[in-house]
Structures are given as structure tokens and as C-alpha cells.
Amino acid sequence: QGSLEVSLSQPTRSSSGSERSLLVAEEMRSLIVEKGPGPVEDDPDALVKGWLQREMRGCMKTPWIRPRKYWFVLTPDSLDYYSSNEKGARRLGSLVLTSLCSVLWPDKQLYKETGYWSVTVFGRKHCYRLYTEHLNEAVRWVCAVQKVIDSKAPVQTPTQLLIRDVEEHRDSPEVLKQIYCCNPILRYTSGPLYAPLLPFPYGSLDQSAPGPRSYTTLRDEAVKLFNSLQQLESERDPVPLMQGVLQPCLDLPPLVDEIYCQLVKQTTEPPAPGGQGDLHYWQLLTCMSCTFLPSPPVLRFLRFHLDRTENRFPASEMAKYACFIREALGKTKGRECVPSLEEILVLMQRQEMICTVHCPGAPACSVAISSHTTAEEVAQELVSRLGLSQSPNLFALYEQSRRREQ
């Protein structure tokens, strides 16, 4: 117990009303100490420096106006800008650079519209949109900023650090009890989440996600999905909402680990274990386990959570779901689409689904399938039932789903 020196908890909103955000160790270490007046031109820490124009937001009628010019200096820790490049110039702002920061390459379309090449740098609290009239200068800044970002050690959130602590002390009940007691971020919460449990790059999102759905950023989507999870507790018909949580995980794979961690959190020491709200979480966790495999660290944490639940609530509904989830995780490989509403209904009951196969002519066969049944297994079952195991002929199996057939 003596090794547990730091207690991590869920962040709270400051009195200023600014957005809540998890403070991470790397950012705490790299906070910039205020620099006094000095010869900006001769800054020994400067990697790249020069004049750039920064976007100044206008009103609703003019959302973009002509940028203002500032002197920018890139150091190994931050991107700073000053009122001028003269000695004693006042520093007007600083964007701390960590491994979670991201930078966008110049946009050709924007250049055609405005005559400027853009450089966009995303930080935890700020986003700098910078402009230059020269493409080679924009590329030079993008490459330099990206090199600084790549040099930073990976940021770990409090949840990641606590997952590691839980794994290290899984055989020490007293230490585990203290970890869960001292860190509310591991336990059920009725309040909203203002930052993801896992690290996501600031402003980064794969815009090529399939389908007509549009998303903002991974961080924003993770927070919105937690709000959706909380709605499950009081939802009379949770099936559509469950499917609505599964779909973003399919479109944006980095969210899979995040949702697993959020579900583990909400099923850890809930106010009413085994109540309707708690079981809705377990049912969604069941659907997740039949659709997505988490990364190895999250998978180990999930398995520990399942074991812990079965030990604390033997013969309960939660224990039965935990057992089903453990078996499902051993079979899940990957899917092209999320479970249908019918499949979610049978998964909520931990049952198999009956699939009707129509054969040439009059006969039809009913085959019991699970989320892990393959088309080959269905074909083998049909061959056996129709007495075709000795037939030299070949047959095709077609699946009809809404407007498509495969």
C-alpha cells in the first residue's frame, strides 16, 4: 500500500467555467515557465522562427477576416508568438506541444479562396490557424512542428495509469480496494464526462469514415458516447440506442477501447447492482464483445473486471453476462456491420438467433446461429440436413439484407 502515493480523480469544472480536461503528466512536465524580456531574434532554444499571420475570428456575418502578422518561435516545448521580433518584445501566447498535438498540412482549396497557405496546429486548449503567402514556408513550419510532436514521449491519461496499477496489484485485494476507493474515475458516475478516459490526438479525425454519418473529433465523439451510455439507464427500449453506440465504434475504430473502458467504469460499483440501468450496461457490453476486440491492455483490464464481478456477485445476472462476454471474446474476430436490432435483442437474453434458409423448391430450414456463426458453418449444416454430403454438386448460399444481396 505504501507504493500508492498519488490519488487520481475525475476532473471538476473550474470556477471560470472553462472546459474540463484531464491533466496529463507530460503536459504538466512541459508547462512553459514565463520568459522575461530578451533578444527574441537570438533565442537559443528557437528551432524555427519567422513572421506568420494568425487568423482572427470575426462575427457570425464575417467568420474569417484578414489575419494579423506576428513573430512566431518554435522551441522544443512550445509554439510561441510575440508582438514583434525586437528585443524585449512581449510574448502574446504559447501552445504547449505534446505527443497528442497534431498539425494539418496546407490546404490547396483554401489557398485558391484566400491567397494564403494555412498551417493548423491543434493543442489541448488552443488551436493556432496560421497563414503565409508562400507554400515552401508553410511546409517548413509543418515539418518542424511535426518533428517536435514526434519527439515527445507518449501521453498517458490517469485511466491508463490506473489500469496498469490494477494489473500490477491484481493479486493484492487490500491494495486493489484502496485503488478503487481513492480513484473515482474507475467507478460508476452519474455525472457527465468532460474528457475521454484514453488519449486521443487533439483535432485529429479520419474524415474518410464510411457511410453518410459525419463526426467531429475523436475526443468529442468519446464524450458524446458517454452521454449516450448514461441514457441507457432510464431507456425503456435500449436497443436502438445500443446500436447507435456500436455504429461509431465501427466507423471510428480508436473509439472501441474508449467505450470498453467507459462500460467497465459504469459497471464498477454502481448504485444499484443488478438493477435495470446496470443490466443495460452489461447488455451493451455483451454486444460489444460479440462485435469488437479491444487492444491487449484493455482486454486484460476487461477480463479482470469480469473475474472481479463473478467473484463479488456469484450466480447473479451480472455474473452470467460476465461469463457470456468472456466466451464471446474468445470467438470474436471482426465484422463488416454492427449487430441488427434482432441480433441485439437475442444478445440481451444471451440466446441464439433462428435463421431461416430457403432452398430451391418448397423446403426451408431453420438454423440456430450466434454472432460468431460463419456462412461456411451454415452451409455445412444445410448439406447435412438435406442429405447432400455425398453429392458431387456445388451449391451457393446467398444472404439477403435489406436492399443488397451477397
Side-chain angles (χ1 to χ4, degrees):
Q1 295 182 15
S3 63
L4 300 176
E5 300 175 356
V6 180
S7 175
L8 302 172
S9 62
Q10 181 152 336
T12 56
R13 185 178 292 278
S14 64
S15 58
S16 63
S18 60
E19 181 181 358
R20 291 188 209 188
S21 188
L22 287 176
L23 288 176
V24 288
E26 174 65 17
E27 285 194 323
M28 292 298 290
R29 287 196 297 269
S30 63
L31 289 177
I32 306 300
V33 178
E34 191 66 33
K35 301 175 183 177
V40 177
E41 280 274 24
D42 301 326
D43 188 346
D45 294 330
L47 301 176
V48 181
K49 52 191 175 183
W51 292 101
L52 289 173
Q53 301 189 64
R54 185 183 178 194
E55 175 184 282
M56 305 303 293
R57 291 284 181 178
C59 61
M60 290 297 292
K61 295 182 180 179
T62 56
W64 190 90
I65 60 177
R66 186 177 180 84
R68 294 181 59 183
K69 185 178 289 186
Y70 299 98
W71 180 258
F72 279 82
V73 178
L74 176 66
T75 72
D77 292 313
S78 66
L79 179 61
D80 309 325
Y81 70 100
Y82 298 81
S83 56
S84 74
N85 62 342
E86 298 176 356
K87 181 177 180 179
R90 186 164 57 96
R91 188 174 65 161
L92 302 177
S94 180
L95 190 152
V96 177
L97 295 174
T98 72
S99 64
L100 296 183
C101 294
S102 60
V103 57
L104 295 184
W105 278 77
D107 181 39
K108 190 174 183 179
Q109 183 61 35
L110 183 63
Y111 175 74
K112 291 180 179 180
E113 296 173 358
T114 65
Y116 289 97
W117 294 101
S118 63
V119 177
T120 306
V121 185
F122 294 96
R124 183 171 70 89
K125 291 184 177 180
H126 307 290
C127 171
Y128 285 0
R129 291 182 172 87
L130 313 176
Y131 301 90
T132 175
E133 297 175 354
H134 307 288
L135 176 60
N136 59 344
E137 185 177 19
V139 171
R140 181 170 69 105
W141 277 96
V142 168
C143 293
V145 172
Q146 187 63 59
K147 188 174 181 179
V148 172
I149 294 173
D150 293 341
S151 70
K152 296 297 180 180
V155 170
Q156 287 191 306
T157 64
T159 299
Q160 285 179 302
L161 297 173
L162 288 168
I163 288 176
R164 188 182 62 191
D165 286 346
V166 167
E167 185 172 356
E168 290 177 355
H169 299 93
R170 60 183 305 156
D171 296 324
S172 304
E174 290 300 320
V175 177
L176 283 175
K177 182 179 179 180
Q178 184 180 1
I179 292 175
Y180 279 98
C181 178
C182 296
N183 297 284
I185 201 170
L186 287 176
R187 308 193 305 266
Y188 170 93
T189 179
S190 59
L193 201 65
Y194 291 89
L197 300 178
L198 302 179
F200 292 112
Y202 306 125
S204 168
L205 185 58
D206 181 9
Q207 298 294 345
S208 63
R213 293 164 293 275
S214 60
Y215 299 101
T216 53
T217 68
L218 288 171
R219 297 175 64 84
D220 289 343
E221 294 300 328
V223 171
K224 286 193 291 186
L225 285 175
F226 187 78
N227 293 335
S228 297
L229 295 189
Q230 291 181 311
Q231 294 177 33
L232 280 176
E233 296 184 44
S234 56
E235 197 72 25
R236 295 185 64 181
D237 180 14
V239 177
L241 189 55
M242 289 181 181
Q243 194 177 53
V245 172
L246 295 169
Q247 188 63 57
C249 293
L250 182 70
D251 295 340
L252 306 172
L255 290 176
V256 170
D257 278 356
E258 173 72 20
I259 300 306
Y260 267 116
C261 287
Q262 290 183 8
L263 286 170
V264 170
K265 171 183 172 65
Q266 292 302 91
T267 51
T268 298
E269 301 181 22
Q276 176 180 311
D278 185 39
L279 291 183
H280 283 176
Y281 283 130
W282 280 103
Q283 289 160 356
L284 178 54
L285 195 55
T286 299
C287 295
M288 286 285 293
S289 69
C290 292
T291 313
F292 309 107
L293 267 184
S295 66
V298 175
L299 179 59
R300 290 194 295 270
F301 181 55
L302 174 60
R303 290 186 185 280
F304 168 79
H305 176 63
L306 300 177
D307 293 341
R308 185 169 183 260
T309 300
E310 288 186 277
N311 291 333
R312 296 183 68 188
F313 305 99
S316 67
E317 281 295 299
M318 299 100 75
K320 293 176 183 177
Y321 279 113
C323 180
F324 184 93
I325 292 168
R326 184 185 295 102
E327 294 178 1
L329 290 169
K331 302 174 184 177
T332 299
K333 295 181 179 178
R335 298 172 58 136
E336 295 180 0
C337 55
V338 299
S340 64
L341 299 180
E342 183 183 4
E343 183 181 352
I344 292 175
L345 279 172
V346 297
L347 284 175
M348 291 172 64
Q349 305 299 322
R350 304 186 300 274
Q351 296 175 350
E352 291 185 323
M353 187 164 56
I354 302 301
C355 173
T356 301
V357 182
H358 299 278
C359 305
C365 294
S366 295
V367 182
I369 62 173
S370 71
S371 299
H372 310 100
T373 304
T374 65
E376 181 181 2
E377 291 170 340
V378 173
Q380 291 174 350
E381 177 71 15
L382 291 174
V383 167
S384 174
R385 289 197 192 182
L386 296 174
L388 300 175
S389 56
Q390 303 300 321
S391 173
N393 297 324
L394 299 177
F395 299 90
L397 181 66
Y398 292 88
E399 176 189 22
Q400 196 167 24
S401 176
R402 294 183 182 178
R403 290 177 294 178
R404 71 170 185 162
E405 186 179 87
Q406 63 181 25

